[in-house]
Amino acid sequence: MSPFPLHHLALRGPTLNFIDDPFQVGDEAALRYEPDGLVIIENGKIAAAGNYAALRSRVAPNAVTHYPDSLILPGFIDTHVHYPQTQMIGGYGVQLIDWLNKYTFVTEQQFGSPAHAAAVADIFLKECLRAGTTTAAVYCTVHPESVEALFQAAFKRHMRMIAGKVLMDRNAPAALLDASVQSGYDQSAALIAKWHGKSRLSYAVTPRFAPTSTPAQLEATGALWKAHPGTYMQTHLAETLQENEWVRSLFPDRANYLDVYTHYGLTGPRAVFGHALHLQEDEWLHLEASGSAITHCPSSNGFLGSGLFDFARARQPRAPARAIRTGLATDVGGGTTLSMLKTMGEAYKIGQLGHYSLSAPKAFYLATRGAAQSLYLEDKIGSIAPGMDADLLVLDMKSTPLIDFRMQHCDTLADALFVQMTMADDRATRAVYVAGELAYSRKHLHYSVPGEFHPREE
Ligand SMILES: [Zn+2]
């Protein structure tokens, strides 16, 4: 007789998990691999995880879904992505500032329409799930309607999402500017009141970047963030040298780019800065000291020709400097994919160009537990451990004939993971569980919304 009540949902298969930071303690000490694992789910959370033989007595036999030739891992976390840009991914031929004017600011004007925003939000979340991403930090547009649409769609799917209304009051088309500093503040505050902390949703105060806000708006943004503890602040930092020069000319009194944000109270825990490519040592030190996080967006940095992320300075600096909280991100539509696997492969290439060899465990860490840590969510997501949200990804390790063939010649787990991040994409997503429920199944090519039809895997 089992001393435990029998659980009614569990996933069996090889499992991958991180218990520590591989950049700090080394890959082997940080990583846990269970060749025949069992993850037991109860009320949307992980009740137990470990070896199948050791845990099988706690689960009703018909409650176990078996995923051989797979890898069960925490759902991926995309720490910087613009959902309205889903429809303009892959726009040819320009660098950041021109790209904003030619593509982004044209596209984003459509998101005052609730119907348009709802349609794109739905596609975006479906594509996140198909890529194995269960949480993202999302930029909407200046329109409150764009935030409503994203939060409603995520709420319906029980997804943990962070999002916010973009704040801009200069240097963009008039149709994309806040009517006034006060209106941008008030609209943001109303969205916070309605959505922050509702179900699994969190709000991010979202000034696009320093050049598109007046000093008065940045001042109000700092006050807004301070008035709502627990919310996030997300923006862009030092993506290109041209942008750095622009910031210097717009804010001549500030010591450097990050100092603009610091001056207006926009650094600290839950501040998330996209890119961070062209920084001075003072900026690195303040990022760490303030508890701020950065996001590495490799496919975007390559696509827009923005620059090379400094993995060594961010994550393995020489003492006394300390590592910066860092998450991996797609930055669609500057980025060219919503797949975190492909993003890991791109991160490796960026590392190579900077003479830093990013190991597969470190890349997987940056897309799971490391990303969660950057968002101060490591007690909720990013790991497979009792009490964590049951946001889980089941990867098919043989998702194409070539990968299947290549995997026959892998000798180690690190080899196998590296082949996946180099060669695999959304076709490898076999199933995704959100808060313990099957949210996407490749076999059925079906997305299920809680309360609607729920397919069973084999
Ligand atoms: Zn971005």
Side-chain angles (χ1 to χ4, degrees), residues 80 82 236 275 331:
H80 179 125
H82 303 252
H236 297 79
H275 302 290
D331 192 28

Side-chain angles (χ1 to χ4, degrees), residues 216-352:
Q217 182 167 60
L218 291 174
E219 182 111 38
T221 302
L224 173 71
W225 191 38
K226 190 175 179 187
H228 298 91
T231 58
Y232 290 82
M233 194 298 299
Q234 59 183 355
T235 190
H236 297 79
L237 172 68
E239 183 174 355
T240 70
L241 292 170
Q242 184 189 11
E243 168 200 356
N244 278 19
E245 282 305 312
W246 195 17
V247 170
R248 204 189 315 275
S249 70
L250 291 170
F251 300 92
D253 295 340
R254 303 274 63 90
N256 51 51
Y257 195 159
L258 185 65
D259 188 44
V260 175
Y261 296 129
T262 307
H263 179 75
Y264 293 107
L266 297 172
T267 54
R270 295 187 184 76
V272 184
F273 294 97
H275 302 290
L277 297 183
H278 307 283
L279 297 179
Q280 302 167 8
E281 184 60 18
D282 282 356
E283 295 173 284
W284 285 112
L285 291 172
H286 183 68
L287 284 169
E288 195 281 321
S290 63
S292 304
I294 57 177
T295 68
H296 174 40
C297 314
S299 81
S300 173
N301 298 160
F303 188 69
L304 295 176
S306 302
L308 300 180
F309 184 75
D310 189 344
F311 287 96
R313 179 61 192 86
R315 299 260 64 232
Q316 290 176 306
R318 293 216 181 109
R322 307 232 308 249
I324 314 293
R325 291 171 185 266
T326 305
L328 200 58
T330 64
D331 192 28
V332 162
T336 52
T337 179
L338 284 168
S339 165
M340 292 302 287
L341 282 174
K342 293 188 78 167
T343 301
M344 287 179 223
E346 293 299 307
Y348 176 76
K349 295 173 195 169
I350 294 279
Q352 287 288 74

Side-chain angles (χ1 to χ4, degrees), residues 82-91 98-113 116-117 120 139-143 146 168 173 175-176 208 332-334:
H82 303 252
Y83 98 83
Q85 297 174 15
T86 307
Q87 69 192 68
M88 51 162 277
I89 189 169
D98 294 330
W99 176 86
L100 282 170
N101 289 318
K102 184 175 176 184
Y103 298 112
T104 311
F105 290 157
V106 177
T107 296
E108 292 193 358
Q109 291 184 38
Q110 300 173 25
F111 284 75
S113 156
H116 182 79
V120 179
Y139 288 63
C140 302
T141 68
V142 74
H143 316 92
S146 70
M168 292 199 282
L176 284 181
R208 174 169 234 116
V332 162

